[in-house]
Amino acid sequence: MTPPPPRDTTAETTVLDALELTSDPDPGERFAESAHRILADLVRGGAALGWVEPPSRDEVAELLGHVLAAVRAGDAALRVARLDGRIVGLGYWLRYARPTHRPHADLEKLAVDVAAQGRGVGRALTAALIADAREAGIEVLTLDARGDNADALHLYRSLGFIEYGRLPDFVAVGERRYDKVFCMLDLRRQD
């Protein structure tokens, strides 16, 4: 058997605002299909994205519709990553709905196709989402991650997020339990 070719780490990741991608129906449909494929494949492989079983196409379409409506209202940012012309990742944050929490947002999902992991896609997406949050006047960007997701936690820490809490054995996947780790990035501080 021939070993797989080495990953080309020189290919450039392009990060697009999802509204750019969804303004045209055909690319918008391809985005929805790609998003479903990425999310379902990751969950099938055990990724910590909030589902125990892979989401259906309808679930992903409903989620994207909700996020895009929030983007249009100024209450969210949704970014899509392309590598070698192919959609390989997505991420979004949503502003908190509670009036006393409106200055803040939660980075709810960040997903990168397994074949593109380790190529800077997650970093590019997260950096773009942080920039969007700054531009939108978000004061504190929060997120939570499953405690065994060491790669994601390392990425977030490297971008300035700090852990502010942990719920031991909070996430249930069948009989397994994982910590839920809470992180924040205070955007009120000047870099």
Side-chain angles (χ1 to χ4, degrees), residues 4-15:
R7 289 186 177 176
D8 175 9
T9 56
T10 61
E12 190 171 325
T13 301
T14 305
V15 178

Side-chain angles (χ1 to χ4, degrees), residues 14-148:
T14 305
V15 178
L16 303 169
D17 181 300
L19 289 179
E20 294 174 88
L21 200 62
T22 59
S23 60
D24 183 1
D26 187 41
E29 182 61 31
R30 282 195 308 256
F31 166 55
E33 285 298 315
S34 295
H36 174 258
R37 177 188 47 77
I38 291 166
L39 293 169
D41 287 351
L42 288 169
V43 171
R44 205 173 286 112
L49 291 169
W51 291 284
V52 173
E53 296 296 325
S56 69
R57 279 178 167 62
D58 289 343
E59 284 178 282
V60 172
E62 184 179 333
L63 172 67
L64 293 174
H66 170 73
V67 174
L68 285 167
V71 168
R72 289 183 187 102
D75 290 333
L78 172 61
R79 290 292 184 149
V80 178
R82 294 176 67 177
L83 187 63
D84 301 328
R86 199 170 75 84
I87 294 173
V88 295
L90 66 137
Y92 67 89
W93 57 255
L94 290 170
R95 189 181 297 270
Y96 283 97
R98 190 178 294 170
T100 55
H101 297 172
R102 295 284 299 154
H104 315 297
D106 192 52
L107 180 59
E108 294 199 6
K109 291 235 186 300
L110 185 72
V112 177
D113 188 315
V114 171
Q117 290 178 6
R119 297 175 72 177
V121 175
R123 177 172 297 282
L125 278 169
T126 307
L129 289 165
I130 291 169
D132 291 341
R134 284 186 198 283
E135 188 175 319
I138 298 299
E139 294 178 9
V140 177
L141 187 60
T142 61
L143 61 85
D144 64 78
R146 202 167 76 188
D148 69 325

